[in-house]
Amino acid sequence: MNLSRRSFLKVGALGSSLTLSQYLELQAATGATDQGRSAILVFLMGGPAHQDTFDLKPNAPVEYRGQFRPIRTAVPGMEICEHLPRLAIRADRYALIRGITHSLADHGLGTRYLMTGNLPTPVVDYPLYGSVVSKEYPAHPDIPSFVSIDRPVEGPGYLGAEYGPLSTGEKPQHGHPFRVRGITLDGSLTLERFNTRKRLLEDIDTAFAGFESLDDSVKGLNRFSQQAYQIIASKRSRDAFDLSLEPDREVDRFGRHDFGQSMMLATRLVEAGVRFVTVLLEGWDTHQDNFTQLGRELLPKFDQSLAAMFDRLGETGRLDSTSILVTGEFGRTPKVNNNAGRDHWARAMCSLMAGCDVRAGQVVGETDDKAQAPRHDGFSPDDLAATFFRNIGIDPKTEYEANVGRPITLVRDGSTIANLLK
């Protein structure tokens, strides 16, 4: 038996004398392995060109290698794109995984695959990484376990709506008060006024009390309303979302742009105790003007904000307890098209992993001389997921009950990537 925080609260509501320490002891006795770790998924939505970021091929024909040059990094033998100078200096803080391969060169299907670690199927609705972490590692009661900055993209799947993310509803923008699900955190909505809204919601809940067959989406709406209230009512939670508390030097370090503000918010949330944060960095679907978009906008912002995240987590001692995965849904075509762009290509892509048990400062895997496919067997998104979960402290072969009549293995087909973790 695995008692979740939700179960614990239900027990408390029934008048049990079970204390928090007794609950934690019971949880330990049931085999829970919470090591106090958190995780951040940085999703490069649209599919970044692997051969123009972390897997350059300078000796390939010009129509394949593109316009960017590789530069040396702090790790001998590791080279990355010239537009990632900050990450080049910090190459000893992460590992590159090259030669990831699959067959879903479609944004929707590819995103679902890379955000769950399971090949999409109409039979089973697999949960997001963060939903699994939310189930296994509940956060403190006054702060969400799982936050998705902007929108959630995918859902909690067979785990149910209670393990879905609290989506902020928008990205933070420098110079503007940040809002969470429409609630401005600048004091324009007072706690008294919000309490009035909460009482109305509670009256509605009372009217439906006892109806356990309520649709999951209705239960989810109630949960999100409760979390929104907790953010307003709890100073700890409210402060975690309040980027105005950051000094100018930190804002400058992360960047006064949507990438930087989103990455800074993700870092603050982990510091406050949120167990999983998804950050969407969009714009990587470069069918045309690939090199202009990457060189002038996408890569400089990404380089600045990810480097700042590594620095901040390292300075506060949290990199050792925060598992970071940076990935898109697929790579892009080896050959540059007639619009100076690259199209969808799932046969080869790369990802980056850092924190916790990652053996940083190395490249795992390899693609061929034109970045078309893995040189050897390559890795599947399932393997990437198994490794990510393992780095968070969750067994990828954990089984869950689902509504398909049989237990579901968390990552059925994937295996931990050899030598990537300590």
Side-chain angles (χ1 to χ4, degrees):
M1 179 179 72
N2 184 19
L3 286 177
S4 65
R5 179 181 64 179
R6 180 183 176 92
S7 301
F8 176 60
L9 293 176
K10 285 181 178 178
V11 171
L14 294 174
S16 169
S17 60
L18 186 67
T19 66
L20 177 59
S21 62
Q22 289 171 330
Y23 161 66
L24 293 174
E25 289 176 6
L26 181 58
Q27 187 182 45
T30 60
T33 57
D34 189 346
Q35 302 173 42
R37 294 185 173 184
S38 300
I40 299 173
L41 170 63
V42 181
F43 200 79
L44 309 182
M45 201 159 194
H50 54 292
Q51 60 280 83
D52 300 318
T53 53
F54 293 106
D55 193 10
L56 280 75
K57 300 295 179 181
N59 297 321
V62 64
E63 66 269 25
Y64 290 90
R65 70 173 181 260
Q67 299 177 12
F68 298 156
R69 297 173 300 145
I71 57 173
R72 295 178 179 178
T73 70
V75 175
M78 180 194 294
E79 295 184 335
I80 62 176
C81 176
E82 62 183 307
H83 294 292
L84 300 172
R86 292 180 176 88
L87 290 176
I89 294 171
R90 296 161 178 82
D92 57 349
R93 301 187 188 179
Y94 57 85
L96 292 179
I97 306 131
R98 294 173 178 163
I100 301 170
T101 183
H102 63 94
S103 60
L104 300 180
D106 170 83
H107 288 299
L109 293 174
T111 296
R112 193 173 306 162
Y113 197 1
L114 269 296
M115 279 194 160
T116 66
N118 287 275
L119 192 66
T121 168
V123 178
V124 180
D125 188 8
Y126 292 101
L128 288 163
Y129 294 123
S131 295
V132 176
V133 173
S134 181
K135 178 177 175 61
E136 294 293 331
Y137 300 160
H140 192 275
D142 69 346
I143 200 163
S145 292
F146 176 20
V147 174
S148 183
I149 297 174
D150 195 4
R151 62 191 190 281
V153 184
E154 296 296 325
Y158 59 70
L159 291 181
E162 64 183 301
Y163 298 113
L166 172 67
S167 56
T168 63
E170 60 184 61
K171 289 183 174 67
Q173 296 181 358
H174 176 67
H176 297 275
F178 186 47
R179 301 187 302 176
V180 179
R181 298 182 65 81
I183 303 167
T184 305
L185 301 179
D186 63 353
S188 60
L189 178 59
T190 65
L191 186 57
E192 181 180 353
R193 290 176 59 196
F194 195 87
N195 272 326
T196 301
R197 296 188 187 183
K198 181 174 181 286
R199 282 194 292 273
L200 176 60
L201 287 169
E202 287 174 343
D203 290 342
I204 295 172
D205 290 342
T206 301
F208 285 98
F211 288 84
E212 296 298 331
S213 60
L214 282 175
D215 184 82
D216 278 350
S217 61
V218 177
K219 294 178 183 177
L221 286 172
N222 175 67
R223 172 179 173 272
F224 295 143
S225 297
Q226 291 292 331
Q227 286 190 338
Y229 171 76
Q230 289 168 355
I231 289 170
I232 295 299
S234 163
K235 185 177 188 303
R236 172 185 177 183
S237 189
R238 188 170 61 248
D239 286 353
F241 284 88
D242 190 354
L243 294 183
S244 69
L245 298 177
E246 290 287 339
D248 284 345
R249 66 177 182 277
E250 285 298 292
V251 177
D252 290 335
R253 176 157 74 163
F254 278 89
R256 297 174 184 265
H257 42 72
D258 58 347
F259 279 22
Q261 297 295 286
S262 295
M263 296 287 270
M264 186 166 66
L265 177 57
T267 306
R268 283 184 63 85
L269 292 174
V270 165
E271 290 170 348
V274 175
R275 304 307 294 270
F276 197 101
V277 183
T278 296
V279 185
L280 300 180
L281 302 184
E282 299 174 271
W284 303 88
D285 193 22
T286 53
H287 290 279
Q288 51 190 333
D289 294 326
N290 172 74
F291 303 100
T292 300
Q293 293 184 65
L294 290 178
R296 291 184 181 177
E297 292 290 329
L298 296 170
L299 293 182
K301 291 179 179 179
F302 171 67
D303 183 52
Q304 179 182 15
S305 61
L306 184 58
M309 176 180 282
F310 286 149
D311 289 349
R312 170 96 159 236
L313 291 174
E315 291 161 4
T316 57
R318 288 183 172 85
L319 192 56
D320 291 338
S321 61
T322 306
S323 178
I324 300 171
L325 173 62
V326 181
T327 189
E329 61 266 45
F330 43 63
R332 304 201 77 82
T333 48
K335 194 171 184 178
V336 179
N337 65 28
N338 293 331
N339 295 314
R342 297 189 191 268
D343 302 312
H344 300 181
W345 187 262
R347 289 175 57 195
M349 60 176 290
C350 62
S351 300
L352 179 156
M353 198 173 291
C356 295
D357 295 328
V358 170
R359 294 181 183 273
Q362 64 165 328
V363 177
V364 178
E366 184 182 7
T367 56
D368 62 24
D369 59 349
K370 295 184 179 68
Q372 298 175 111
R375 186 173 293 278
H376 304 293
D377 290 337
F379 310 109
S380 68
D382 316 63
D383 298 328
L384 187 67
T387 309
F388 189 36
F389 277 127
R390 182 73 68 185
N391 197 40
I392 302 170
I394 297 173
D395 183 354
K397 297 306 177 184
T398 298
E399 291 188 345
Y400 294 117
E401 295 297 328
N403 57 356
V404 295
R406 59 180 175 82
I408 301 296
T409 302
L410 180 55
V411 183
R412 186 184 65 180
D413 298 323
S415 300
T416 304
I417 297 173
N419 300 318
L420 187 55
L421 303 182
K422 300 174 185 175

